[in-house]
Amino acid sequence: MNDGKKLFGVAALFDTPDEILKAAKTVNNAGYKNYDVNTPYPIHGIDKAMKLKSSKLGYVTLFFGFFGASFILFFMWWTLAVNYPLVIGGKPYFPLPAFVPITFEFTVLNAVLSTFIAMIAVVFNLPFNSHPLHDSNYMRNVTSDKYGVVIESEDPQFDENKVNELLRSLGGKNIERIFYPEQKEFKVFQPRFVVFLIIIAIITSVSTYVTLNKLMYLPPFSFMEHQNKGIAQYESTFFYDKREMREPVKGTIARGFIPYAFTGVTDTNEFYSNPLLPTQKVLKLGQEKFLTYCSPCHGNYGEGKSRLRGFFPPGPTLHSARVIGFSDGKIYNIITNGQNGIMPSYAYQTTRDERWAIINYIRVLQRAQNPKPSDFSAISEINKESGNASN
Amino acid sequence: MPQTESNIRLAENAGYIKKELPKSLSTWGYILLIVGIALSIVSYKLDPARASFGYLAGYIFLLCIGIGALFLVSMEYAAGAVWSVPFRRVSELFASSVPFLLILLIPLFLSMKNLFVWMNPEVVAHDKVWQTRMNYLNVPFFIIRDVVIILIWWLFYHLIIRNSRKQDLSLDQNLTTTNIKLSVAFIPVFGFTISLFSFDWLMSMVPKWYSTIFGVYIFADAAWVGFAVVTLASVLLTEKGYLSTKIKKDHYYSLGTWMFAFTVFWAYIAFAQYMLQWYGNLPDEIIYYVHRWVGGWKYVSLFLVIAHFIVPFIILIPRSSKTNPKILIFASIWIIATQYLDSYWLVMPSMVNNGFTYSFRFTDFAFPIAAVGLIIVLFTTLAKKHNLLPIGDPKLKRSWDFHL
C-alpha cells in the first residue's frame, strides 16, 4: 500500500471549530509534539488549546525593521550629506523630517519581506518548495470549509494504529494517510518552455514599445520632452531681448567675493591693506601665481629679466627703491588695473586672494635682494637647527 | 429605574450586580469641580484675556473626551463589535458631557475679542486676505455654525443613548437596529463637524495659517483620549467588581489595541502636517510651528512627540501589556494627561498673534481641574440611575464568548 513512499502523517477532518478545539486539546494532552492544525480562518483560542508558545518570528521582524531603518538613514546621510552633498529646497544636507517617510517605508518593507521569507523558510524548510500536505484532499478541505488536524510520523510517540484510533474516537472524518511527494526530476530548459519564454518576451517588449512610444507619445504624455522652460542658446519668447540665458541682476555679488572699490581707477591715493599674513601656505600660492603671470615680463626673481626676448616690452625690476616704497595696496591696484598702458589688468586671471599672495611673495623677493644683518643670523640659526650648518 | 424580573435574571446571567459607586468618588468629583470653578473665576478676575486662552484649552480637552467617547459608542454600533459591549455604558456615561459643551460655549463667545485677531476691525481693514475671509469668519455665522454643530452632536447623543438605555428595560432588539442606522449617519457627520469646529476655534487663531489636515488631527486626539478614559474607567470598574465578573483579559486587549492604533494614527497625522509645512516653509504656514519652537515651547514640542507618540507606542506594543490592567491604567492616565498638554500646546502659543505674551501661569490649570471634576460628577450621578452594563443588548451574550 505504501508503494515505497514515505509516510508523512495521518490527517483527520472535523466539521466545527469547537470540535477542532477539543481535538487539538486532546492530541496535545496525549503527548504528541509534531502535529498541526489547519483551519480555513484563524480560530480564537487555538493557540491556547495547542499550548503554542508565542512565535519567535517577531524577533526577525524586529531585527530587520531596525536594520532597515538604520541602513536607509545611513545610506541617505552618506549619499546626500557626505559623498555628494546637495542642497535641496534650501534645507540642510541632512533634513531628518524629509527622510522620515523613506525611513518608515523602508523599515516596513524590510520587516515585511524578511518576515515573509523567514516564514517560508521555516514552514517549507527551504530549499524545498513543496509541503507534503499540498495537493492533498485534506488541504483542499481545510482551505474550504473543514477543520483538520494532522499528526506527523516524525513524532516520537507515532504509532499509526493508535493515532487512527485516537482520531476516530474524537469524531474525525476522512482519516487519511499522507505521504511525502516523490522527488521528480525537473528539467528547466525543456524546448517547449524556452520557446514559450521567448514568445512571452517578444510580446511583452513589443507591446511595451508600442504603448509607450506610439500610443502614449502624445502631447500631454510625451515624457516631458516639450516643456515650458528656457533652454540655453535658444530664442526666448518671453523676454524682450530674446535671450534665454539671463545675466545676474546688476550689482549681484558672488558668494565669498569682496568687490574692489578702485577697479579702473589708477590715480587714487587710497589703498587697501593686505589682509593675508605671509604664512608658508600663502607664500607657496604667491610663488606659483607669480611664476605663472608675473615672471614672463618681470623675471623669475622680479629682477626685470624678461623671458620674452623682445617680443614685448620687458617689465621693470621690482627691486628699485620706488617699487620697494610702494604700499601693498598700490601694488594691488597696479595688478588689478594694469599700468602705463603696457602692463594689462590681471583681475581676470587672478583672484583677490591670489593677488595679495603675489604681493606677499614680491615682498619676500625684495627682502632677499636687500637683506638686513639680522636675516643672516636667522638663517645660520635655522641651518644649525636643521643640523647641516655650512659656512 | 424599576427592575423587572427578566431584567434581574439577565443581569444575573451577565454576572452583573448593580452596586453604588463609592461615595468618595462623587465627593472628589464635586471638590474638583468646585475648586476648579473657583480658581477659574479667580483667574478671570486676574487677567480676563489670559483666562480666555486657558479656558479654550480646557474646553478642547473636555470636548475631546466627550465627543471621543460618543464616537466609540457609534463605532461599536456601526461595526457590530461584540467585544466592547460590556464597556459601552461606560463610554455612554463619558459622552454625557456633550450637552454641557453648549452651555460652556457661552464664555468662549464672550471672549472672542481676546482669542481671535480677526475680531480686530483695524487688522481686517488693512488686509485684503482677511476681508475675503470675513465672509466665513464673521461673528453671526461663526456663532450659528458652532451652536448648530454642538446641537447636532447633542441630537445624536440624545437619540443613541436614549435607545441604548431604553433597551435595558424593554429588551427590544429593534433598538439596536435603529442605533446602527443612527451611528452610520453620525460617523461622517462627526468627521465633518469636528473639522469645522477645530477650524473655527483653533485654526483661525493663527492668522492666515491653514492646514486641511487639522480637523483630522483633532479627530485623532478626540478618539485617542476617548478610548483612554473608557479604558481607565472600564478597567478600574472591572477590577473593583462594579462591572461584570465575566469580563476577561481578552476584552481588555482590544481596548489597548485601540489606544495603540490611535497613538500611531495621531503621529501619522501630526507628522504629515508638520513635514509638509516644514518643507514648504511658506511664511503664512510655518509661523504656526515657529511660534511653537521659540523659547521654552521648543522643549514642550519635543516632549509632546515623546509623550504623545513614543511613550504610549512603546508601552502598548507588547501583547502582554494590552491585557495587563496595571499597565492599561497607567497608559490611559498618561494619555489623558498628554491630551491636556496637547490642547494647551495647540492654544497657548497662538496668544502671540493677538499681541499677548505667554508666560507660565498656574491659573491656566483651573480649567482642566474643573473639566475633570465635571466628568466625574456626571459619571457618578448618571451611574446611580443607570446600569453600568447594557444588560438588554442582544450582543452581550456573544460578548462573553469573545476570546482572542
Side-chain angles (χ1 to χ4, degrees):
Chain A
M1 236 183 114
N2 274 7
D3 303 337
K5 284 193 265 179
K6 202 181 153 210
L7 188 67
F8 168 74
V10 176
L13 292 172
F14 295 86
D15 284 332
T16 63
D18 288 336
E19 278 178 281
I20 195 74
L21 275 175
K22 196 182 138 223
K25 237 177 249 174
T26 320
V27 170
N28 189 57
N29 287 345
Y32 291 102
K33 296 275 181 294
N34 296 11
Y35 70 99
D36 207 352
V37 172
N38 302 88
T39 55
Y41 56 85
I43 303 246
H44 288 303
I46 195 76
D47 46 349
K48 251 182 220 164
M50 290 171 74
K51 293 200 177 112
L52 288 179
K53 282 177 200 148
S54 69
S55 168
K56 298 269 186 300
L57 201 60
Y59 292 103
V60 176
T61 316
L62 186 76
F63 175 78
F64 281 98
F66 275 125
F67 172 75
S70 46
F71 168 75
I72 202 70
L73 273 178
F74 173 78
F75 180 82
M76 287 186 289
W77 168 76
W78 188 77
T79 49
L80 285 170
V82 177
N83 192 37
Y84 200 86
L86 273 179
V87 177
I88 300 169
K91 297 290 181 239
Y93 288 132
F94 188 68
L96 192 59
F99 288 168
V100 165
I102 298 161
T103 314
F104 171 75
E105 298 293 345
F106 199 76
T107 310
V108 171
L109 179 76
N110 229 18
V112 168
L113 284 185
S114 62
T115 312
F116 178 73
I117 290 167
M119 222 161 77
I120 295 282
V122 170
V123 173
F124 278 172
N125 197 10
L126 281 182
F128 296 104
N129 63 357
S130 171
H131 195 274
L133 286 180
H134 281 178
D135 213 21
S136 66
N137 227 2
Y138 170 80
M139 192 43 84
R140 231 158 272 142
N141 278 310
V142 296
T143 49
S144 162
D145 61 346
K146 293 277 192 286
Y147 312 84
V149 59
V150 53
I151 299 177
E152 292 165 21
S153 62
E154 275 175 21
D155 194 279
Q157 246 181 288
F158 188 82
D159 173 30
E160 210 181 321
N161 295 329
K162 272 190 192 169
V163 167
N164 273 330
E165 213 169 285
L166 176 72
L167 291 177
R168 206 163 293 134
S169 72
L170 283 166
K173 289 159 196 159
N174 294 28
I175 295 175
E176 192 185 348
R177 307 158 83 219
I178 289 171
F179 298 98
Y180 281 101
E182 281 175 58
Q183 296 290 330
K184 282 188 215 153
E185 194 123 331
F186 188 70
K187 257 172 108 180
V188 179
F189 293 111
Q190 291 173 8
R192 262 200 304 174
F193 181 64
V194 173
V195 169
F196 171 75
L197 273 188
I198 290 171
I199 289 171
I200 289 286
I202 289 169
I203 290 173
T204 323
S205 41
V206 167
S207 59
T208 312
Y209 177 80
V210 170
T211 355
L212 290 181
N213 289 316
K214 302 293 166 201
L215 291 178
M216 284 177 66
Y217 197 70
L218 295 169
F221 308 110
S222 54
F223 304 108
M224 302 188 187
E225 199 176 282
H226 307 294
Q227 295 182 13
N228 264 335
K229 69 173 185 186
I231 302 168
Q233 292 161 18
Y234 272 61
E235 192 183 4
S236 169
T237 53
F238 183 76
F239 293 108
Y240 282 119
D241 59 2
K242 297 191 172 176
R243 284 165 59 113
E244 286 280 28
M245 290 169 87
R246 308 308 300 166
E247 280 180 350
V249 180
K250 263 212 168 128
T252 307
I253 291 169
R255 221 165 192 222
F257 175 77
I258 297 169
Y260 183 54
F262 304 113
T263 311
V265 186
T266 43
D267 53 344
T268 173
N269 290 322
E270 283 180 90
F271 297 116
Y272 283 25
S273 55
N274 195 337
L276 298 183
L277 288 171
T279 59
Q280 198 172 359
K281 205 176 151 194
V282 168
L283 291 176
K284 267 257 146 64
L285 177 72
Q287 184 184 33
E288 191 193 321
K289 296 296 162 186
F290 181 88
L291 291 177
T292 311
Y293 297 113
C294 313
S295 68
C297 297
H298 289 286
N300 281 349
Y301 301 102
E303 73 278 36
K305 266 191 195 162
S306 166
R307 292 206 299 272
L308 300 174
R309 289 184 276 167
F311 286 104
F312 196 78
T317 173
L318 300 178
H319 301 297
S320 62
R322 191 166 150 266
V323 176
I324 291 172
F326 281 172
S327 70
D328 283 4
K330 176 137 177 109
I331 303 178
Y332 185 83
N333 193 314
I334 290 168
I335 300 176
T336 311
N337 294 325
Q339 208 181 25
N340 299 336
I342 295 171
M343 174 170 168
S345 159
Y346 279 85
Y348 289 102
Q349 284 94 326
T350 51
T351 66
R352 168 180 163 272
D353 279 4
E354 283 166 3
R355 270 170 261 164
W356 289 116
I358 289 170
I359 292 161
N360 274 331
Y361 184 65
I362 291 171
R363 294 297 184 214
V364 169
L365 292 177
Q366 287 168 348
R367 183 75 169 265
Q369 287 295 313
N370 306 296
K372 290 176 187 166
S374 59
D375 292 348
F376 292 107
S377 53
I379 286 170
S380 61
E381 244 171 66
I382 290 168
N383 285 346
K384 249 183 231 165
E385 269 172 33
S386 56
N388 53 352
S390 55
N391 46 342
Chain B
M1 184 182 278
Q3 300 280 344
T4 60
E5 233 172 71
S6 63
N7 275 324
I8 294 167
R9 208 178 54 244
L10 265 177
E12 260 172 31
N13 284 344
Y16 171 69
I17 305 154
K18 190 167 168 56
K19 280 191 258 182
E20 290 272 305
L21 287 178
K23 272 261 160 52
S24 58
L25 187 64
S26 67
T27 322
W28 269 108
Y30 279 110
I31 290 173
L32 284 176
L33 183 60
I34 290 162
V35 167
I37 289 173
L39 286 175
S40 310
I41 291 167
V42 169
S43 82
Y44 257 108
K45 286 267 181 263
L46 284 174
D47 187 349
R50 173 62 185 256
S52 50
F53 286 95
Y55 185 89
L56 181 57
Y59 184 84
I60 295 296
F61 175 59
L62 184 66
L63 177 133
C64 283
I65 290 177
I67 201 73
L70 185 58
F71 175 64
L72 177 53
V73 175
S74 60
M75 283 279 282
E76 185 204 305
Y77 276 117
V82 170
W83 64 270
S84 66
V85 177
F87 308 129
R88 198 184 70 230
R89 198 43 61 73
V90 176
S91 35
E92 284 173 14
L93 294 183
F94 278 118
S96 59
S97 59
V98 169
F100 284 82
L101 294 176
L102 194 60
I103 309 159
L104 294 172
L105 210 52
I106 294 165
L108 278 181
F109 285 139
L110 294 176
S111 56
M112 269 167 76
K113 265 208 160 44
N114 296 325
L115 290 171
F116 303 119
V117 68
W118 47 266
M119 288 292 287
N120 187 345
E122 269 181 43
V123 173
V124 175
H126 291 106
D127 200 323
K128 210 160 185 196
V129 177
W130 276 126
Q131 281 161 17
T132 29
R133 284 196 179 191
M134 288 319 274
N135 293 328
Y136 184 75
L137 284 173
N138 58 59
V139 178
F141 188 34
F142 188 93
I143 292 178
I144 291 170
R145 189 167 57 226
D146 291 335
V147 168
V148 167
I149 287 172
I150 303 236
L151 281 176
I152 290 171
W153 292 347
W154 190 352
L155 177 73
F156 277 104
Y157 164 79
H158 177 73
L159 293 175
I160 293 174
I161 269 74
R162 188 196 58 183
N163 286 345
S164 166
R165 284 180 187 153
K166 229 197 257 170
Q167 206 175 34
D168 272 15
L169 289 175
S170 66
L171 311 181
D172 184 2
Q173 300 207 4
N174 290 332
L175 289 171
T176 303
T177 324
T178 322
N179 267 0
I180 289 172
K181 283 176 192 155
L182 282 171
S183 304
V184 170
F186 173 68
I187 289 170
V189 169
F190 167 68
F192 183 64
T193 47
I194 199 165
S195 289
L196 291 187
F197 199 85
S198 61
F199 289 174
D200 278 357
W201 287 104
L202 294 169
M203 212 159 90
S204 79
M205 290 175 85
V206 191
K208 297 178 195 174
W209 177 66
Y210 57 87
S211 156
T212 37
I213 212 170
F214 190 69
V216 186
Y217 183 98
I218 299 299
F219 161 75
D221 264 355
W224 193 58
V225 76
F227 291 122
V229 284
V230 172
T231 307
L232 178 64
S234 304
V235 173
L236 276 176
L237 288 172
T238 312
E239 295 297 308
K240 306 268 182 213
Y242 291 97
L243 274 183
S244 167
T245 46
K246 288 191 174 180
I247 292 173
K248 289 172 297 197
K249 296 274 160 68
D250 304 23
H251 291 96
Y252 289 169
Y253 177 81
S254 298
L255 286 172
T257 314
W258 264 116
M259 293 199 290
F260 179 73
F262 271 85
T263 303
V264 180
F265 182 65
W266 176 88
Y268 184 81
I269 299 301
F271 180 75
Q273 179 182 295
Y274 169 73
M275 197 196 73
L276 286 186
Q277 308 214 324
W278 167 85
Y279 218 111
N281 209 10
L282 299 174
D284 287 349
E285 288 180 357
I286 200 67
I287 193 70
Y288 175 78
Y289 286 105
V290 169
H291 285 161
R292 278 152 187 80
W293 201 254
V294 289
W297 283 115
K298 182 179 179 174
Y299 303 103
V300 180
S301 304
L302 286 173
F303 180 71
L304 200 64
V305 174
I306 296 167
H308 211 313
F309 174 57
I310 293 171
V311 171
F313 183 81
I314 290 171
I315 290 179
L316 291 172
I317 260 192
R319 187 177 183 163
S320 56
S321 68
K322 286 175 207 142
T323 50
N324 184 334
K326 275 183 190 160
I327 293 177
L328 279 180
I329 289 170
F330 173 78
S332 45
I333 291 175
W334 177 276
I335 287 172
I336 294 164
T338 309
Q339 173 52 36
Y340 178 68
L341 179 73
D342 192 12
S343 313
Y344 196 76
W345 180 84
L346 284 170
V347 173
M348 284 302 172
S350 299
M351 285 174 72
V352 189
N353 298 311
N354 222 358
F356 302 105
T357 45
Y358 174 83
S359 57
F360 183 78
R361 276 187 213 167
F362 281 105
T363 46
D364 291 338
F365 301 104
F367 305 101
I369 291 172
V372 170
L374 179 69
I375 289 166
I376 295 176
V377 167
L378 281 174
F379 191 91
T380 47
T381 320
L382 289 170
K384 264 182 216 157
K385 273 199 265 170
H386 304 285
N387 288 328
L388 281 174
L389 203 70
I391 50 169
D393 195 302
K395 286 188 293 180
L396 189 63
K397 209 180 159 214
R398 272 201 286 150
S399 177
W400 304 135
D401 295 333
F402 174 80
H403 49 71
L404 289 173

